[in-house]
Amino acid sequence: MIQFSDEYIAEFKDIIERNDIEKAKELLKELHPADIAELYQALNLDEAEYIYRLLDSETAAEVLVELDEDDRQKLLKRIPNEMIAKQFVEQLETDDAVDIIRQMDEEDQEEILAHIDDAEQAGDIVDLLKYDEGTAGGLMGTEMVVVNENCSMPECLKEMRRQAEEMDEIYYVYVVDDDNKLKGVFPLKKMITNPSVAKIKHVMKRDPLSLHTDTPLEEVAQAFEKYNLVAMPVVDSIGRLVGRITVDDIMDEVREQSERDYQLASGISQDVETDDSIMAQTGARLPWLIIGIFGGLTNSVILGNFEEGFVTNPAMALFIPLIGGTGGNVGTQSSAIVVQGLANGSLDIKRAGKQILKELGVSLINACIIALIVFGFNIFKGTETNITVAVSLALFSMVIFASIFGTVVPITLEKLKVDPAIATGPFIAITNDIVGMIIYMTFCMILI
């Protein structure tokens, strides 16, 4: 893996400034497309466009796929649509081409498709654009080796050679019937062990694992993880083979989804990067901060109703951060476990009741231990008995509430088809902070 030093980047910028085309090409030839995409991060837009025009079509297309989505968009806006079609799209597999075209407006999409010479490729791209990008259909590509189940071994080999010429990688050979319905997978090992077999259907592996075009990406990722496959076929509603998904495609999607979930859990409402503008980052981060302000103001109103109690018992105020912090931590832990279970498939939404009961058991144990620790600390410190009891009871109640709340909220959001990742961040913390203050001050009012 290449790490670009400041000296290397400075030298490269100097080469661009001197317009030393031969030297620039020499350096670029030594780099992998992923490394060139990384180098892009250190260049301005003019410099990035300069090096792109020095790349051959195949390398330029691979680099474009490796680029961050925002960087790719900025670069494409400076390149004519005809060049995008000829130099990029025609060199890419259909799934990668669709990822690029999908980001453009309808007018640009039509112009790019019109410039593609291969009518079959253009038709495949149009078909794939119809699928929701959050499904298997929106992620799949159409490049695959397909043979008919009635083919003999020599016919199969001939057909495989013909189709393989247009592909970079071959993972599986898929077997279909006369109606193009998926019937099996042809193991390449069978070519060696059964070279004289009459028909492919006699040696193929029947009923292979497959995905439907409308399968959500979360389930696609779970299937790849569960069965340890490098590629899976995709079929339509009546079982016809329409495409395939490879493990590198799904890994990219899983990485992007994990980044989105992490940002949601941190209270960032939009997908942002470190190099985004100040206004873009502000717009993504400000909403939850404003909600947090209202949460804090609500707490101040609650505490204001007990002003006389703080005057007569100042020690009450010492434990406010403890109550709020503990509730927020417990709630975030519970919601994080549930969100993770929903994401990896280990938690079935139909068994939500079982998870809630389990969380109740865990929360009771945690609540007892935490309450006893704080109770012992206050007794040792000599805190007033009434305050000691109020704090311990409030903590006990708060831990149980926060645990159950942190479990129920993401499950509810999942049922409502809302990303449950938003439950693991500020929403849980703010709510538990407010409820914690109500619980604590209620015990204080009763006991003190």
Side-chain angles (χ1 to χ4, degrees), residues 103-125:
Q103 300 169 7
M104 301 178 174
D105 58 44
E106 190 173 339
E107 184 178 342
D108 287 331
Q109 289 182 8
E110 292 177 356
E111 187 175 346
I112 290 172
L113 291 169
H115 285 299
I116 297 176
D117 293 330
D118 188 341
E120 184 177 352
Q121 183 191 25
D124 288 340
I125 292 173

PDB file of all heavy atoms in Angstrom, residues 103-125:
ATOM      1  N   GLN A 103     -25.975   9.248 -10.656  1.00  0.00           N
ATOM      2  CA  GLN A 103     -25.769  10.495  -9.920  1.00  0.00           C
ATOM      3  C   GLN A 103     -26.082  11.733 -10.754  1.00  0.00           C
ATOM      4  O   GLN A 103     -26.135  12.835 -10.218  1.00  0.00           O
ATOM      5  CB  GLN A 103     -24.319  10.568  -9.439  1.00  0.00           C
ATOM      6  CG  GLN A 103     -23.922   9.427  -8.518  1.00  0.00           C
ATOM      7  CD  GLN A 103     -22.422   9.384  -8.279  1.00  0.00           C
ATOM      8  OE1 GLN A 103     -21.695  10.274  -8.700  1.00  0.00           O
ATOM      9  NE2 GLN A 103     -21.956   8.357  -7.598  1.00  0.00           N
ATOM     10  N   MET A 104     -26.267  11.556 -12.060  1.00  0.00           N
ATOM     11  CA  MET A 104     -26.463  12.709 -12.949  1.00  0.00           C
ATOM     12  C   MET A 104     -27.943  12.994 -13.168  1.00  0.00           C
ATOM     13  O   MET A 104     -28.800  12.146 -12.901  1.00  0.00           O
ATOM     14  CB  MET A 104     -25.777  12.428 -14.295  1.00  0.00           C
ATOM     15  CG  MET A 104     -24.291  12.157 -14.170  1.00  0.00           C
ATOM     16  SD  MET A 104     -23.547  11.782 -15.761  1.00  0.00           S
ATOM     17  CE  MET A 104     -21.807  11.698 -15.302  1.00  0.00           C
ATOM     18  N   ASP A 105     -28.213  14.194 -13.658  1.00  0.00           N
ATOM     19  CA  ASP A 105     -29.609  14.519 -13.940  1.00  0.00           C
ATOM     20  C   ASP A 105     -30.058  13.801 -15.214  1.00  0.00           C
ATOM     21  O   ASP A 105     -29.243  13.268 -15.985  1.00  0.00           O
ATOM     22  CB  ASP A 105     -29.831  16.030 -14.048  1.00  0.00           C
ATOM     23  CG  ASP A 105     -28.957  16.677 -15.122  1.00  0.00           C
ATOM     24  OD1 ASP A 105     -28.847  16.100 -16.224  1.00  0.00           O
ATOM     25  OD2 ASP A 105     -28.394  17.750 -14.865  1.00  0.00           O
ATOM     26  N   GLU A 106     -31.361  13.798 -15.437  1.00  0.00           N
ATOM     27  CA  GLU A 106     -31.941  13.009 -16.519  1.00  0.00           C
ATOM     28  C   GLU A 106     -31.429  13.417 -17.892  1.00  0.00           C
ATOM     29  O   GLU A 106     -31.167  12.575 -18.758  1.00  0.00           O
ATOM     30  CB  GLU A 106     -33.470  13.138 -16.471  1.00  0.00           C
ATOM     31  CG  GLU A 106     -34.191  12.179 -17.397  1.00  0.00           C
ATOM     32  CD  GLU A 106     -35.701  12.222 -17.195  1.00  0.00           C
ATOM     33  OE1 GLU A 106     -36.148  12.662 -16.117  1.00  0.00           O
ATOM     34  OE2 GLU A 106     -36.425  11.814 -18.116  1.00  0.00           O
ATOM     35  N   GLU A 107     -31.227  14.699 -18.108  1.00  0.00           N
ATOM     36  CA  GLU A 107     -30.763  15.178 -19.413  1.00  0.00           C
ATOM     37  C   GLU A 107     -29.361  14.660 -19.720  1.00  0.00           C
ATOM     38  O   GLU A 107     -29.082  14.197 -20.835  1.00  0.00           O
ATOM     39  CB  GLU A 107     -30.776  16.710 -19.431  1.00  0.00           C
ATOM     40  CG  GLU A 107     -30.389  17.301 -20.781  1.00  0.00           C
ATOM     41  CD  GLU A 107     -30.465  18.825 -20.775  1.00  0.00           C
ATOM     42  OE1 GLU A 107     -31.125  19.392 -19.877  1.00  0.00           O
ATOM     43  OE2 GLU A 107     -29.851  19.443 -21.662  1.00  0.00           O
ATOM     44  N   ASP A 108     -28.459  14.723 -18.730  1.00  0.00           N
ATOM     45  CA  ASP A 108     -27.099  14.223 -18.920  1.00  0.00           C
ATOM     46  C   ASP A 108     -27.100  12.712 -19.118  1.00  0.00           C
ATOM     47  O   ASP A 108     -26.310  12.179 -19.910  1.00  0.00           O
ATOM     48  CB  ASP A 108     -26.221  14.598 -17.727  1.00  0.00           C
ATOM     49  CG  ASP A 108     -25.880  16.081 -17.705  1.00  0.00           C
ATOM     50  OD1 ASP A 108     -25.830  16.683 -18.788  1.00  0.00           O
ATOM     51  OD2 ASP A 108     -25.683  16.631 -16.609  1.00  0.00           O
ATOM     52  N   GLN A 109     -27.965  12.012 -18.387  1.00  0.00           N
ATOM     53  CA  GLN A 109     -28.054  10.561 -18.542  1.00  0.00           C
ATOM     54  C   GLN A 109     -28.397  10.184 -19.979  1.00  0.00           C
ATOM     55  O   GLN A 109     -27.759   9.311 -20.587  1.00  0.00           O
ATOM     56  CB  GLN A 109     -29.103   9.989 -17.587  1.00  0.00           C
ATOM     57  CG  GLN A 109     -28.708  10.002 -16.123  1.00  0.00           C
ATOM     58  CD  GLN A 109     -29.778   9.375 -15.240  1.00  0.00           C
ATOM     59  OE1 GLN A 109     -30.750   8.798 -15.724  1.00  0.00           O
ATOM     60  NE2 GLN A 109     -29.599   9.478 -13.934  1.00  0.00           N
ATOM     61  N   GLU A 110     -29.397  10.853 -20.523  1.00  0.00           N
ATOM     62  CA  GLU A 110     -29.831  10.547 -21.887  1.00  0.00           C
ATOM     63  C   GLU A 110     -28.726  10.849 -22.897  1.00  0.00           C
ATOM     64  O   GLU A 110     -28.518  10.085 -23.858  1.00  0.00           O
ATOM     65  CB  GLU A 110     -31.094  11.357 -22.221  1.00  0.00           C
ATOM     66  CG  GLU A 110     -32.325  10.929 -21.424  1.00  0.00           C
ATOM     67  CD  GLU A 110     -33.526  11.789 -21.734  1.00  0.00           C
ATOM     68  OE1 GLU A 110     -33.379  12.758 -22.509  1.00  0.00           O
ATOM     69  OE2 GLU A 110     -34.622  11.494 -21.197  1.00  0.00           O
ATOM     70  N   GLU A 111     -27.997  11.956 -22.699  1.00  0.00           N
ATOM     71  CA  GLU A 111     -26.937  12.320 -23.635  1.00  0.00           C
ATOM     72  C   GLU A 111     -25.796  11.308 -23.582  1.00  0.00           C
ATOM     73  O   GLU A 111     -25.243  10.919 -24.623  1.00  0.00           O
ATOM     74  CB  GLU A 111     -26.413  13.721 -23.308  1.00  0.00           C
ATOM     75  CG  GLU A 111     -25.424  14.247 -24.347  1.00  0.00           C
ATOM     76  CD  GLU A 111     -25.007  15.682 -24.072  1.00  0.00           C
ATOM     77  OE1 GLU A 111     -25.674  16.356 -23.247  1.00  0.00           O
ATOM     78  OE2 GLU A 111     -24.004  16.115 -24.673  1.00  0.00           O
ATOM     79  N   ILE A 112     -25.424  10.876 -22.386  1.00  0.00           N
ATOM     80  CA  ILE A 112     -24.344   9.892 -22.248  1.00  0.00           C
ATOM     81  C   ILE A 112     -24.736   8.562 -22.886  1.00  0.00           C
ATOM     82  O   ILE A 112     -23.959   7.964 -23.634  1.00  0.00           O
ATOM     83  CB  ILE A 112     -23.990   9.688 -20.755  1.00  0.00           C
ATOM     84  CG1 ILE A 112     -23.315  10.947 -20.216  1.00  0.00           C
ATOM     85  CG2 ILE A 112     -23.087   8.469 -20.571  1.00  0.00           C
ATOM     86  CD1 ILE A 112     -23.110  10.930 -18.727  1.00  0.00           C
ATOM     87  N   LEU A 113     -25.965   8.111 -22.624  1.00  0.00           N
ATOM     88  CA  LEU A 113     -26.432   6.847 -23.199  1.00  0.00           C
ATOM     89  C   LEU A 113     -26.465   6.911 -24.720  1.00  0.00           C
ATOM     90  O   LEU A 113     -26.189   5.915 -25.399  1.00  0.00           O
ATOM     91  CB  LEU A 113     -27.817   6.504 -22.642  1.00  0.00           C
ATOM     92  CG  LEU A 113     -27.856   6.114 -21.155  1.00  0.00           C
ATOM     93  CD1 LEU A 113     -29.294   6.054 -20.659  1.00  0.00           C
ATOM     94  CD2 LEU A 113     -27.165   4.782 -20.931  1.00  0.00           C
ATOM     95  N   ALA A 114     -26.772   8.081 -25.252  1.00  0.00           N
ATOM     96  CA  ALA A 114     -26.829   8.237 -26.709  1.00  0.00           C
ATOM     97  C   ALA A 114     -25.446   8.124 -27.343  1.00  0.00           C
ATOM     98  O   ALA A 114     -25.318   7.757 -28.518  1.00  0.00           O
ATOM     99  CB  ALA A 114     -27.460   9.577 -27.066  1.00  0.00           C
ATOM    100  N   HIS A 115     -24.385   8.411 -26.595  1.00  0.00           N
ATOM    101  CA  HIS A 115     -23.021   8.377 -27.116  1.00  0.00           C
ATOM    102  C   HIS A 115     -22.371   6.998 -26.979  1.00  0.00           C
ATOM    103  O   HIS A 115     -21.250   6.800 -27.445  1.00  0.00           O
ATOM    104  CB  HIS A 115     -22.150   9.418 -26.415  1.00  0.00           C
ATOM    105  CG  HIS A 115     -22.409  10.817 -26.862  1.00  0.00           C
ATOM    106  ND1 HIS A 115     -22.227  11.244 -28.166  1.00  0.00           N
ATOM    107  CD2 HIS A 115     -22.853  11.909 -26.178  1.00  0.00           C
ATOM    108  CE1 HIS A 115     -22.528  12.519 -28.267  1.00  0.00           C
ATOM    109  NE2 HIS A 115     -22.915  12.957 -27.073  1.00  0.00           N
ATOM    110  N   ILE A 116     -23.048   6.065 -26.308  1.00  0.00           N
ATOM    111  CA  ILE A 116     -22.477   4.724 -26.149  1.00  0.00           C
ATOM    112  C   ILE A 116     -22.697   3.934 -27.431  1.00  0.00           C
ATOM    113  O   ILE A 116     -23.824   3.759 -27.895  1.00  0.00           O
ATOM    114  CB  ILE A 116     -23.135   3.993 -24.950  1.00  0.00           C
ATOM    115  CG1 ILE A 116     -22.843   4.752 -23.655  1.00  0.00           C
ATOM    116  CG2 ILE A 116     -22.619   2.559 -24.852  1.00  0.00           C
ATOM    117  CD1 ILE A 116     -23.525   4.169 -22.428  1.00  0.00           C
ATOM    118  N   ASP A 117     -21.615   3.433 -28.005  1.00  0.00           N
ATOM    119  CA  ASP A 117     -21.696   2.722 -29.284  1.00  0.00           C
ATOM    120  C   ASP A 117     -22.335   1.342 -29.142  1.00  0.00           C
ATOM    121  O   ASP A 117     -23.055   0.893 -30.027  1.00  0.00           O
ATOM    122  CB  ASP A 117     -20.299   2.568 -29.894  1.00  0.00           C
ATOM    123  CG  ASP A 117     -19.715   3.917 -30.299  1.00  0.00           C
ATOM    124  OD1 ASP A 117     -20.510   4.811 -30.651  1.00  0.00           O
ATOM    125  OD2 ASP A 117     -18.480   4.073 -30.258  1.00  0.00           O
ATOM    126  N   ASP A 118     -22.053   0.681 -28.018  1.00  0.00           N
ATOM    127  CA  ASP A 118     -22.586  -0.667 -27.807  1.00  0.00           C
ATOM    128  C   ASP A 118     -24.043  -0.572 -27.364  1.00  0.00           C
ATOM    129  O   ASP A 118     -24.343  -0.237 -26.215  1.00  0.00           O
ATOM    130  CB  ASP A 118     -21.749  -1.386 -26.738  1.00  0.00           C
ATOM    131  CG  ASP A 118     -22.118  -2.852 -26.605  1.00  0.00           C
ATOM    132  OD1 ASP A 118     -23.227  -3.236 -27.039  1.00  0.00           O
ATOM    133  OD2 ASP A 118     -21.307  -3.626 -26.066  1.00  0.00           O
ATOM    134  N   ALA A 119     -24.967  -0.885 -28.265  1.00  0.00           N
ATOM    135  CA  ALA A 119     -26.396  -0.770 -27.972  1.00  0.00           C
ATOM    136  C   ALA A 119     -26.813  -1.720 -26.857  1.00  0.00           C
ATOM    137  O   ALA A 119     -27.692  -1.394 -26.034  1.00  0.00           O
ATOM    138  CB  ALA A 119     -27.212  -1.053 -29.229  1.00  0.00           C
ATOM    139  N   GLU A 120     -26.192  -2.890 -26.804  1.00  0.00           N
ATOM    140  CA  GLU A 120     -26.536  -3.869 -25.760  1.00  0.00           C
ATOM    141  C   GLU A 120     -26.137  -3.351 -24.379  1.00  0.00           C
ATOM    142  O   GLU A 120     -26.898  -3.467 -23.428  1.00  0.00           O
ATOM    143  CB  GLU A 120     -25.839  -5.202 -26.029  1.00  0.00           C
ATOM    144  CG  GLU A 120     -26.231  -6.289 -25.036  1.00  0.00           C
ATOM    145  CD  GLU A 120     -25.587  -7.630 -25.360  1.00  0.00           C
ATOM    146  OE1 GLU A 120     -24.961  -7.755 -26.437  1.00  0.00           O
ATOM    147  OE2 GLU A 120     -25.706  -8.551 -24.533  1.00  0.00           O
ATOM    148  N   GLN A 121     -24.936  -2.757 -24.298  1.00  0.00           N
ATOM    149  CA  GLN A 121     -24.507  -2.192 -23.020  1.00  0.00           C
ATOM    150  C   GLN A 121     -25.418  -1.044 -22.592  1.00  0.00           C
ATOM    151  O   GLN A 121     -25.819  -0.947 -21.422  1.00  0.00           O
ATOM    152  CB  GLN A 121     -23.063  -1.694 -23.110  1.00  0.00           C
ATOM    153  CG  GLN A 121     -22.537  -1.165 -21.776  1.00  0.00           C
ATOM    154  CD  GLN A 121     -21.222  -0.429 -21.901  1.00  0.00           C
ATOM    155  OE1 GLN A 121     -20.901   0.100 -22.971  1.00  0.00           O
ATOM    156  NE2 GLN A 121     -20.456  -0.370 -20.831  1.00  0.00           N
ATOM    157  N   ALA A 122     -25.751  -0.177 -23.525  1.00  0.00           N
ATOM    158  CA  ALA A 122     -26.646   0.943 -23.218  1.00  0.00           C
ATOM    159  C   ALA A 122     -27.999   0.437 -22.736  1.00  0.00           C
ATOM    160  O   ALA A 122     -28.581   0.976 -21.783  1.00  0.00           O
ATOM    161  CB  ALA A 122     -26.819   1.825 -24.447  1.00  0.00           C
ATOM    162  N   GLY A 123     -28.513  -0.615 -23.386  1.00  0.00           N
ATOM    163  CA  GLY A 123     -29.799  -1.185 -22.979  1.00  0.00           C
ATOM    164  C   GLY A 123     -29.738  -1.777 -21.587  1.00  0.00           C
ATOM    165  O   GLY A 123     -30.677  -1.619 -20.792  1.00  0.00           O
ATOM    166  N   ASP A 124     -28.620  -2.463 -21.282  1.00  0.00           N
ATOM    167  CA  ASP A 124     -28.465  -3.029 -19.936  1.00  0.00           C
ATOM    168  C   ASP A 124     -28.433  -1.930 -18.881  1.00  0.00           C
ATOM    169  O   ASP A 124     -29.030  -2.070 -17.801  1.00  0.00           O
ATOM    170  CB  ASP A 124     -27.175  -3.853 -19.861  1.00  0.00           C
ATOM    171  CG  ASP A 124     -27.265  -5.157 -20.633  1.00  0.00           C
ATOM    172  OD1 ASP A 124     -28.405  -5.608 -20.896  1.00  0.00           O
ATOM    173  OD2 ASP A 124     -26.206  -5.723 -20.967  1.00  0.00           O
ATOM    174  N   ILE A 125     -27.749  -0.830 -19.185  1.00  0.00           N
ATOM    175  CA  ILE A 125     -27.664   0.279 -18.233  1.00  0.00           C
ATOM    176  C   ILE A 125     -29.050   0.888 -17.997  1.00  0.00           C
ATOM    177  O   ILE A 125     -29.429   1.180 -16.860  1.00  0.00           O
ATOM    178  CB  ILE A 125     -26.675   1.346 -18.739  1.00  0.00           C
ATOM    179  CG1 ILE A 125     -25.255   0.789 -18.723  1.00  0.00           C
ATOM    180  CG2 ILE A 125     -26.765   2.618 -17.889  1.00  0.00           C
ATOM    181  CD1 ILE A 125     -24.227   1.698 -19.350  1.00  0.00           C
TER     182      ILE A 125
END
